[in-house]
Amino acid sequence: TMWLKPEEVLLKNALKLWVQERSNQYFVLQRRRGYGKEGGGGLAGLLVGTLDAVLDSTSKVAPFRILHQTPDSQVYWSIACGSSREEITEHWNWLEHNVMKTLSVFDSNEDITSFVQGKIRGLIAEEGKGSFVKEDDPEKFREGLMKFEKCFGLPEQEKLVTYYSCSYWKGRVPCQGWLYLSTNFLSFYSFLLGAEIKLIISWDEISKLEKTSNVILTESIHVCSRGEDHYFSMFLHISETFLLMEQLANYAVRRLFDKETFENDLVLHDPLQITKRGLESRAHSEQFSAFFRLPKEETMKEVHECFLWVPFSHYNTHGKMCISENYICFASQDGSLCSVIIPLREVTGVDKADPANRGVSISTKGKTAFRFTEVRDFEQLVAKLRMKCNATSSPQHIINTEVAASSASDSPKDFDAGPSKMGQRDNSKTVSTEALMTVYHPQDAENLDSKMLKEKMKEQSWNILFVERGHGVSMFRTKKTRDLVVRGIPEALRGELWLLFSGAVNDMASNPGYYTELVEKSLGTCTLATDEIERDLRRSLPEHPAFQSDTGISALRRVLTAYAYRNPQIGYCQAMNILTSVLLLYAKEEEAFWLLVAVCERMLPDYFNRRIIGALVDQAVFEELIRVHLPQLTDHMTDMTFFSSVSLSWFLTLFISVLPIESAVNVVDCFFYDGIKAILQLGLAVLEYNMEKLLTCKDDAEAVTVLNRFFDSVTNKDSPLPPAVQQGSNLSNTKSDHPKVDITDLIRESNERYGDIRYEDVESMRCRNRLYVIQMLEATTKQNVLRVVSQDVKFSPSDLEELYELFKKEHFLSCYWNVNSPVLQHHDASLPYLDQYRIDCQQFRVLCHLLSPWSHCANRDSLALWTFRLMDESSDCLINFKQFACVLDTMYNGSFTDKLKLLFKLHIPPAFTEVESLSPSKGGDLSKEELIHFSQLSVSSVGCSLESDSLKSSPEKGKGKVDIQAYLKQWQDELLKKEENIKDLPRMNQSQFIQFSKTLYNLFHGDPEEELLYRAIAVVTSLLLKMEEVGRRLQSPTSPVKSPVTVTEVPAEIPRKGQEESSFEQTEGSKAQSLRGNHEWSFAFEQILASLLNEPAFVRFFEKPHDIKVKIESAKHLQLKARSRV
């Protein structure tokens, strides 16, 4: 079946060759007579057969077709044909599902037909270009690329990843066109009925990206950028398109805003290497390694649909086998929730089994054999896996993690022999090899009380499970496993199972000796992180005896310090201490370290960096789930942020900080098995349990009290922990007003009610909300910057906001096309708001040319350079938005004196520097390299530069600790600067003054009063020089120097070029004179100001109002173009 190029069809055919099978207002599905039901018999059938043979001997007419009917007319268009009913029905369904409802929005019938025709042509083009990948069909792709480059005029480094035919909704009407996805932009182009639509949205501005559907749009993609909503629909492959959009948006956000996680990701560093294939396989690999909790480095190599024999249930479960570099994994897809992870290091043999059913058998060290059947290409797979296994059985993988997870962690014993090298810091052994629980609560096997008996029964249930389903890393995981986890893992097995379910067992097996080495390297180091760790060590689980003694404290110190050393991007974050102390209770020290790695780097990504973005994202997901599952709560709460503030600690500490310890460990059990889903489910269950009370609360404080009371009442009646350690039991006597809730019941309830929240949905909600959270943080930065800057400028709030957007955009445009762009470093979200975004001289020049009212000036490059040097007070060659806005404000809104003072300061040091372009042919234009070179020349006095260095090198700057003294000093300086007296300005020497006059000439060029202004300069200059000469004669009457009045007597009528040359000659001449005569040839600002105030033309020129709105509008259009020219 295929879509056809729409052609008009006449139905007034005397011979009824077609029978109508289905129809609606816009489309008709027809079957060829004599085909199908009638079995080809009868006269009509014979006739049709003969006609086909006579009329169209070259090709057989397809027996089914779909026509589009222009409503209220007899005009029909053929749009699809097919050889079987199934195929044509598929096309019919697509039309009904995607196009039908939409057509009702058009006003005229002609519009409907032209839309349908455009849509079908787009579909044909889309099918024609295969899967749209450069590698598949370079010719087709080149065509698309040329169209893309022609339409949008982006720089040629902008890499087109792929493009799709779709419809964009302009108001209530869809426009058929092409959606282009490239590294930094989402672009749409449509040209229909003489109307052109062009849309360019950069990925870093998108705050919402989601699949939605409503009455008219069955399935569409909704993009929100800068508060505007855009809808795209009618894709042939909407899921594929959406996946790529999600990946590209996520990529941009990580590269541009969230560099903390980005550094370690080599794939992402080069935007030019991004391909559609690469993005898709990356997305699948990320889902794969997250689902099976594999190390991040694993990438999914191949996927096979097959069946796995489940011996204890005696049946074959259908699912997918996924193979990566070091693992073979299987997940069922028939609802049986069965999954298996087989590390290749455990595999002892791979064989063909049961060839009739295309079987593959994999045997492991744990004496288990896994039998897969119905595997396509099973023989090749067996050969491939055999090669892989031979390659991986290198000595470092021989540690046997299968017998029990324990043997792996006994290897560091040899480090314990001697006394610790770091004895001065830590008097215990380098690494302790026992879980603290076993040291502090040895189980008394003789006297079993009822709780211990219950505990033993739990252990028995697990042991039966191990016998039946395997023990260790490649055990079968099924619904039964989850049921046992929900009941609470027995104390004795906790450490081992946490290690298993979190995937930490794999990290540990592939990095033997890593932790001990890290401890040796990191102990004794002194950083901001280690100071914070020391401060928090005794606050971690102070009630527990293990952390009242040196054993527990030292172990905690070693694990946290080693982790901070391993991952300086995160370093140490509060909440990590609470989590780690609980891990140390149940796992050996090395295991606890790897559990911490699994949590921080895989299970709770981005939770523990400076901006806790990950936790904010999961809170946004939680809010979304509350809206869906507990709508009555949402209606009652005026402000959803309450849930965010109250639940932050739930996410950051996995409920450990709010629940009594004996209950909290059960939550951690579920978290390691089910990931963040377990925490979200429990959060919903807690809110639902307290729903009635929450609905009666008047304010947030009341609601917090309700929840705290509830958490205090949670008990764990089966916990075998001694009463001294339990936190819940101490309250049993005091607060009897609140009924007790057992943690096991609460967790079971959360699973029953919310267990159907799918893992994949949570991941896509995370992805979606990440964009939202980052844009919210960006908006906060913007509001704070604008609040500060608005007090110092006269721009309207809307103009100031537009200027901020242009300033920030310029930063991003410099990052888009450079691999590892150094400019990326100019954005640091951990700094105070004003310094988060800064620009260099090159970026400033572009903005200056777009926005400055003086940008028509011939020496505009030099002006931009001097302005930049004037603002760059800290001499680090970067300026922030406040400096940028203030200088523009002077140009637009300053008084005559302000503007003149600015021009005066631009022509004296530290701003002024002699600028000679290396290639005179370019006139006043400077190359990027020259510009950067001149902006770095230092002129400032020694005192200034020392001060700025001390500010720059303050080590606390990056980590959020602020040197208060330095800030107060800076603030004082700023206050003093405001009162800067005109008298304090340095004097302007001869060559500077000549350059100053030249700049004025350049500024006046093209002005309606140009001649008047030129004359005025001449008059003022000669006046100043005469005053200067009189002053000098009074000092030394014998001096024979002749005043260089010639400079000023340039008639205004001389064309520009002549002036330039003559002024250059005079400059040279006067330089020589000044060398012969007195060196103090200079003017004070007051003199210049007083002389210029006498010239009305001057005053008129500088007081003429300029509208920044016009400049801003043109800058928005030209900013990208300016970039493609650079």
Side-chain angles (χ1 to χ4, degrees):
T1 301
M2 53 196 258
W3 300 107
L4 300 173
K5 205 162 163 194
E7 281 180 11
E8 202 172 328
V9 176
L10 290 171
L11 278 195
K12 293 185 189 153
N13 226 330
L15 294 160
K16 290 270 185 215
L17 299 183
W18 295 87
V19 186
Q20 193 160 306
E21 292 224 328
R22 298 167 82 162
S23 72
N24 58 41
Q25 181 181 357
Y26 306 107
F27 299 105
V28 185
L29 191 158
Q30 297 181 329
R31 171 175 54 80
R32 188 91 166 143
R33 258 195 208 287
Y35 180 84
K37 291 181 186 163
E38 297 160 35
L43 190 61
L46 270 174
L47 192 61
V48 171
T50 316
L51 266 171
D52 282 351
V54 173
L55 297 176
D56 189 0
S57 51
T58 49
S59 69
K60 188 114 168 55
V61 176
F64 293 95
R65 68 178 183 182
I66 296 175
L67 307 178
H68 159 64
Q69 176 181 15
T70 307
D72 308 328
S73 79
Q74 287 304 302
V75 183
Y76 289 83
W77 304 82
S78 59
I79 56 171
C81 66
S83 54
S84 75
R85 185 172 275 107
E86 291 72 45
E87 288 178 355
I88 202 76
T89 311
E90 207 174 291
H91 280 51
W92 179 266
N93 292 342
W94 191 88
L95 288 168
E96 278 198 333
H97 190 66
N98 286 286
V99 182
M100 268 289 297
K101 294 178 185 169
T102 308
L103 297 178
S104 56
V105 305
F106 289 103
D107 301 331
S108 82
N109 295 331
E110 284 67 46
D111 286 356
I112 291 182
T113 293
S114 67
F115 177 77
V116 170
Q117 291 178 336
K119 183 79 234 164
I120 300 300
R121 286 200 188 95
L123 293 176
I124 293 170
E126 171 130 345
E127 285 185 334
K129 67 179 177 66
S131 65
F132 272 2
V133 184
K134 198 170 171 181
E135 304 90 293
D136 292 358
D137 190 343
E139 217 24 66
K140 261 299 190 236
F141 193 82
R142 190 173 305 120
E143 223 171 274
L145 185 62
M146 280 165 69
K147 215 156 127 192
F148 169 70
E149 284 171 352
K150 195 172 119 237
C151 290
F152 303 104
L154 295 168
E156 57 211 37
Q157 306 97 303
E158 180 61 16
K159 182 162 191 239
L160 177 62
V161 176
T162 183
Y163 55 106
Y164 295 100
S165 150
C166 72
S167 301
Y168 169 64
W169 288 75
K170 188 101 175 128
R172 286 183 57 243
V173 180
C175 312
Q176 175 57 34
W178 291 90
L179 177 72
Y180 296 90
L181 308 183
S182 58
T183 328
N184 300 293
F185 300 95
L186 170 162
S187 323
F188 176 83
Y189 184 81
S190 161
F191 185 79
L192 266 185
L193 312 170
E196 182 179 59
I197 293 176
K198 197 181 285 189
L199 188 69
I200 302 181
I201 300 172
S202 56
W203 295 115
D204 55 78
E205 287 173 351
I206 292 180
S207 56
K208 216 180 207 166
L209 177 64
E210 57 185 359
K211 272 197 279 194
T212 57
S213 53
N214 60 28
V215 181
I216 294 177
L217 297 176
T218 41
E219 254 198 314
S220 61
I221 293 175
H222 170 205
V223 175
C224 178
S225 149
R226 288 203 181 180
E228 284 182 43
D229 291 304
H230 305 278
Y231 291 90
F232 301 92
S233 67
M234 304 195 211
F235 291 92
L236 257 186
H237 313 287
I238 191 161
S239 302
E240 174 192 304
T241 313
F242 184 71
L243 176 85
L244 283 170
M245 287 167 85
E246 210 171 44
Q247 284 283 306
L248 282 163
N250 199 11
Y251 164 78
V253 160
R254 286 180 59 186
R255 179 161 185 254
L256 301 169
F257 296 113
D258 196 16
K259 296 182 284 290
E260 296 178 341
T261 51
F262 190 82
E263 303 295 325
N264 319 329
D265 205 326
L266 298 172
V267 187
L268 294 182
H269 272 308
D270 184 355
L272 304 177
Q273 297 309 314
I274 290 186
T275 61
K276 173 174 183 273
R277 285 252 176 86
L279 284 172
E280 284 174 335
S281 67
R282 187 186 171 82
H284 295 313
S285 284
E286 279 171 0
Q287 288 164 0
F288 158 75
S289 53
F291 182 81
F292 290 110
R293 311 270 160 80
L294 300 178
K296 268 204 159 121
E297 304 74 51
E298 293 299 311
T299 52
M300 187 159 67
K301 296 294 185 200
E302 44 192 301
V303 180
H304 298 274
E305 272 206 40
C306 61
F307 288 89
L308 169 63
W309 174 248
V310 185
F312 47 89
S313 307
H314 303 293
Y315 87 111
N316 275 315
T317 176
H318 174 248
K320 285 186 174 162
M321 178 204 291
C322 308
I323 299 170
S324 69
E325 289 88 346
N326 301 299
Y327 296 87
I328 302 166
C329 303
F330 175 88
S332 67
Q333 296 194 296
D334 54 9
S336 65
L337 302 181
C338 172
S339 66
V340 169
I341 298 166
I342 312 168
L344 293 181
R345 60 175 187 269
E346 295 291 335
V347 174
T348 51
V350 182
D351 301 291
K352 282 184 264 187
D354 189 7
N357 291 322
R358 302 199 296 262
V360 176
S361 165
I362 297 173
S363 28
T364 62
K365 293 177 186 168
K367 305 286 180 283
T368 323
F370 296 91
R371 203 169 86 225
F372 299 92
T373 49
E374 301 301 327
V375 187
R376 277 229 332 251
D377 309 327
F378 74 111
E379 284 159 326
Q380 281 158 301
L381 183 64
V382 168
K384 251 188 248 168
L385 288 176
R386 276 188 180 156
M387 275 172 67
K388 263 182 185 272
C389 292
N390 293 341
T392 49
S393 57
S394 58
Q396 66 165 32
H397 287 297
I398 292 199
I399 297 166
N400 183 358
T401 50
E402 187 63 48
V403 179
S406 60
S407 56
S409 47
D410 296 342
S411 56
K413 283 234 169 88
D414 45 333
F415 286 91
D416 303 342
S420 160
K421 289 183 197 168
M422 312 285 169
Q424 73 280 12
R425 176 88 192 250
D426 183 2
N427 54 12
S428 67
K429 291 186 289 186
T430 312
V431 172
S432 55
T433 52
E434 289 293 351
L436 294 172
M437 261 309 167
T438 49
V439 181
Y440 287 93
H441 314 300
Q443 292 187 2
D444 183 357
E446 301 303 308
N447 315 317
L448 291 180
D449 57 4
S450 61
K451 285 186 175 176
M452 283 314 297
L453 273 171
K454 209 154 192 188
E455 187 73 1
K456 288 288 172 216
M457 283 160 63
K458 272 191 189 173
E459 282 180 37
Q460 197 48 40
S461 310
W462 277 97
N463 288 328
I464 293 169
L465 188 86
F466 293 149
V467 168
E468 196 179 82
R469 294 158 198 225
H471 189 175
V473 68
S474 42
M475 64 189 278
F476 277 92
R477 298 159 201 222
T478 59
K479 191 171 174 309
K480 183 78 195 293
T481 322
R482 173 180 283 119
D483 294 343
L484 286 181
V485 171
V486 166
R487 284 171 46 193
I489 297 175
E491 304 270 308
L493 293 171
R494 212 163 236 143
E496 177 193 337
L497 290 176
W498 283 358
L499 213 60
L500 202 67
F501 296 143
S502 64
V505 61
N506 293 318
D507 296 309
M508 199 162 112
S510 22
N511 296 289
Y514 173 85
Y515 174 66
T516 351
E517 200 179 306
L518 211 54
V519 169
E520 309 250 316
K521 281 184 192 160
S522 64
L523 267 186
T525 52
C526 194
T527 60
L528 195 67
T530 56
D531 294 348
E532 289 178 355
I533 291 169
E534 278 309 312
R535 193 191 59 210
D536 286 349
L537 283 177
R538 300 188 185 275
R539 306 180 191 170
S540 300
L541 269 186
E543 311 79 17
H544 200 287
F547 297 102
Q548 290 159 2
S549 80
D550 195 50
T551 317
I553 294 286
S554 301
L556 184 58
R557 177 188 294 122
R558 285 190 298 268
V559 172
L560 291 172
T561 312
Y563 187 77
Y565 188 86
R566 163 191 168 91
N567 190 347
Q569 292 291 351
I570 289 178
Y572 167 77
C573 166
Q574 270 191 324
M576 284 164 74
N577 58 329
I578 298 178
L579 181 63
T580 310
S581 48
V582 172
L583 299 176
L584 280 166
L585 286 179
Y586 293 100
K588 297 169 187 173
E589 191 178 318
E590 183 182 11
E591 298 172 342
F593 169 79
W594 286 112
L595 282 168
L596 185 64
V597 169
V599 172
C600 294
E601 293 170 28
R602 284 204 304 270
M603 299 181 73
L604 300 179
D606 283 3
Y607 258 60
F608 301 104
N609 52 24
R610 292 174 208 157
R611 299 194 290 169
I612 59 167
I613 286 178
L616 297 174
V617 168
D618 283 344
Q619 284 182 303
V621 171
F622 186 49
E623 276 180 33
E624 211 175 304
L625 290 169
I626 295 171
R627 284 194 195 93
V628 175
H629 294 279
L630 306 170
Q632 57 276 53
L633 248 190
T634 339
D635 300 341
H636 175 67
M637 302 301 283
T638 42
D639 183 11
M640 287 294 280
T641 52
F642 164 72
F643 296 117
S644 307
S645 50
V646 77
S647 66
L648 184 60
S649 62
W650 305 358
F651 289 99
L652 277 172
T653 66
L654 307 177
F655 283 94
I656 297 170
S657 60
V658 291
L659 283 173
I661 178 76
E662 66 279 6
S663 302
V665 288
N666 285 31
V667 179
V668 180
D669 293 342
C670 296
F671 169 73
F672 280 128
Y673 193 79
D674 265 334
I676 194 63
K677 187 169 113 73
I679 304 297
L680 293 164
Q681 287 173 190
L682 185 62
L684 290 172
V686 166
L687 293 179
E688 190 189 12
Y689 195 95
N690 293 284
M691 176 88 80
E692 284 173 20
K693 288 189 177 141
L694 287 172
L695 290 177
T696 56
C697 290
K698 316 260 185 312
D699 56 24
D700 291 359
E702 253 187 88
V704 170
T705 314
V706 165
L707 290 169
N708 286 342
R709 286 231 175 113
F710 169 75
F711 286 131
D712 289 343
S713 74
V714 174
T715 60
N716 184 350
K717 57 180 191 299
D718 298 340
S719 172
L721 288 186
V725 177
Q726 292 199 23
Q727 297 167 340
S729 55
N730 313 342
L731 300 162
S732 51
N733 326 333
T734 47
K735 287 190 186 163
S736 49
D737 58 331
H738 207 300
K740 295 275 173 270
V741 187
D742 194 76
I743 187 69
T744 320
D745 298 337
L746 192 61
I747 290 175
R748 186 184 302 111
E749 178 114 341
S750 79
N751 252 297
E752 281 165 10
R753 298 199 66 102
Y754 306 109
D756 54 355
I757 294 172
R758 287 173 54 237
Y759 177 80
E760 298 79 42
D761 296 342
V762 171
E763 282 307 309
S764 77
M765 283 160 92
R766 269 178 159 181
C767 212
R768 183 165 69 234
N769 282 293
R770 181 181 195 80
L771 299 176
Y772 165 75
V773 165
I774 294 248
Q775 294 301 347
M776 289 307 287
L777 291 170
E778 286 294 306
T780 309
T781 300
K782 175 163 89 175
Q783 283 154 8
N784 282 291
V785 169
L786 294 179
R787 198 185 65 236
V788 173
V789 176
S790 62
Q791 296 161 4
D792 295 348
V793 298
K794 299 191 183 74
F795 290 127
S796 72
S798 61
D799 288 346
L800 195 62
E801 186 173 348
E802 296 275 21
L803 286 172
Y804 178 84
E805 293 294 353
L806 287 163
F807 180 88
K808 185 172 143 182
K809 187 84 200 156
E810 194 53 44
H811 160 79
F812 282 140
L813 287 171
S814 317
C815 305
Y816 283 168
W817 298 288
N818 295 350
V819 183
N820 273 341
S821 167
V823 181
L824 280 168
Q825 306 310 320
H826 301 174
H827 169 227
D828 182 350
S830 63
L831 293 178
Y833 290 120
L834 256 180
D835 294 327
Q836 288 187 13
Y837 283 102
R838 297 186 300 163
I839 57 174
D840 63 21
C841 193
Q842 162 66 15
Q843 296 161 309
F844 175 71
R845 167 170 68 173
V846 176
L847 285 174
C848 222
H849 293 354
L850 290 172
L851 293 166
S852 159
W854 302 340
S855 58
H856 60 280
C857 199
N859 62 338
R860 60 186 197 161
D861 276 3
S862 314
L863 265 185
L865 168 70
W866 298 327
T867 313
F868 182 83
R869 288 174 59 97
L870 180 67
M871 289 183 292
D872 178 20
E873 289 151 3
S874 57
S875 311
D876 55 2
C877 300
L878 294 171
I879 61 164
N880 64 26
F881 178 68
K882 183 177 175 181
Q883 295 162 320
F884 171 75
C886 288
V887 82
L888 268 187
D889 187 57
T890 307
M891 294 175 181
Y892 278 97
N893 306 320
S895 64
F896 175 72
T897 313
D898 294 334
K899 290 178 185 172
L900 211 65
K901 187 160 80 179
L902 174 64
L903 275 169
F904 181 87
K905 282 161 92 174
L906 292 183
H907 290 80
I908 55 174
F912 182 74
T913 175
E914 290 287 345
V915 174
E916 294 288 328
S917 177
L918 304 178
S919 44
S921 59
K922 282 161 72 179
D925 291 353
L926 296 172
S927 71
K928 182 176 173 179
E929 289 67 35
E930 288 168 344
L931 194 70
I932 298 293
H933 164 70
F934 287 127
S935 73
Q936 288 167 349
L937 290 178
S938 86
V939 183
S940 52
S941 61
V942 180
C944 291
S945 61
L946 278 175
E947 213 170 280
S948 69
D949 282 356
S950 69
L951 262 179
K952 267 192 297 188
S953 60
S954 140
E956 316 300 11
K957 194 170 182 184
K959 256 299 190 180
K961 266 201 179 177
V962 174
D963 180 353
I964 304 294
Q965 290 303 314
Y967 268 102
L968 283 174
K969 182 166 175 5
Q970 222 175 333
W971 190 44
Q972 255 177 323
D973 293 349
E974 280 186 15
L975 286 176
L976 290 173
K977 232 175 276 161
K978 282 192 179 146
E979 296 155 17
E980 176 185 61
N981 198 324
I982 290 178
K983 290 191 170 65
D984 301 338
L985 286 170
R987 292 171 73 86
M988 184 182 267
N989 72 23
Q990 182 180 348
S991 66
Q992 291 160 4
F993 180 72
I994 288 169
Q995 183 57 63
F996 176 72
S997 317
K998 255 200 239 175
T999 299
L1000 290 175
Y1001 273 121
N1002 286 333
L1003 274 179
F1004 300 152
H1005 179 55
D1007 191 85
E1009 297 198 88
E1010 187 171 16
E1011 289 189 21
L1012 268 176
L1013 288 161
Y1014 283 173
R1015 284 212 187 91
I1017 296 183
V1019 173
V1020 167
T1021 314
S1022 85
L1023 180 70
L1024 282 168
L1025 285 166
K1026 277 178 184 154
M1027 282 161 60
E1028 178 65 23
E1029 197 179 350
V1030 170
R1032 242 203 336 247
R1033 280 202 181 137
L1034 288 173
Q1035 281 168 354
S1036 57
T1038 52
S1039 167
V1041 175
K1042 204 172 138 263
S1043 157
V1045 176
T1046 42
V1047 177
T1048 64
E1049 290 163 3
V1050 179
E1053 288 75 13
I1054 292 185
R1056 298 257 329 130
K1057 204 162 179 190
Q1059 277 167 22
E1060 282 278 292
E1061 284 163 9
S1062 59
S1063 57
F1064 265 123
E1065 284 157 26
Q1066 286 147 1
T1067 310
E1068 293 308 313
S1070 39
K1071 263 191 196 158
Q1073 280 178 339
S1074 71
L1075 285 174
R1076 279 204 307 277
N1078 187 337
H1079 289 273
E1080 299 310 309
W1081 193 100
S1082 61
F1083 298 128
F1085 177 65
E1086 289 165 285
Q1087 290 173 295
I1088 296 179
L1089 179 65
S1091 326
L1092 293 178
L1093 275 169
N1094 286 329
E1095 298 295 331
F1098 250 96
V1099 180
R1100 278 198 301 276
F1101 178 85
F1102 281 109
E1103 290 194 337
K1104 199 179 352 176
H1106 292 279
D1107 185 8
I1108 191 150
K1109 279 190 169 45
V1110 180
K1111 281 279 193 188
I1112 288 175
E1113 277 313 304
S1114 80
K1116 282 173 23 191
H1117 295 300
L1118 296 172
Q1119 197 175 16
L1120 247 181
K1121 288 199 174 71
R1123 179 60 49 183
S1124 32
R1125 282 200 303 273
V1126 164

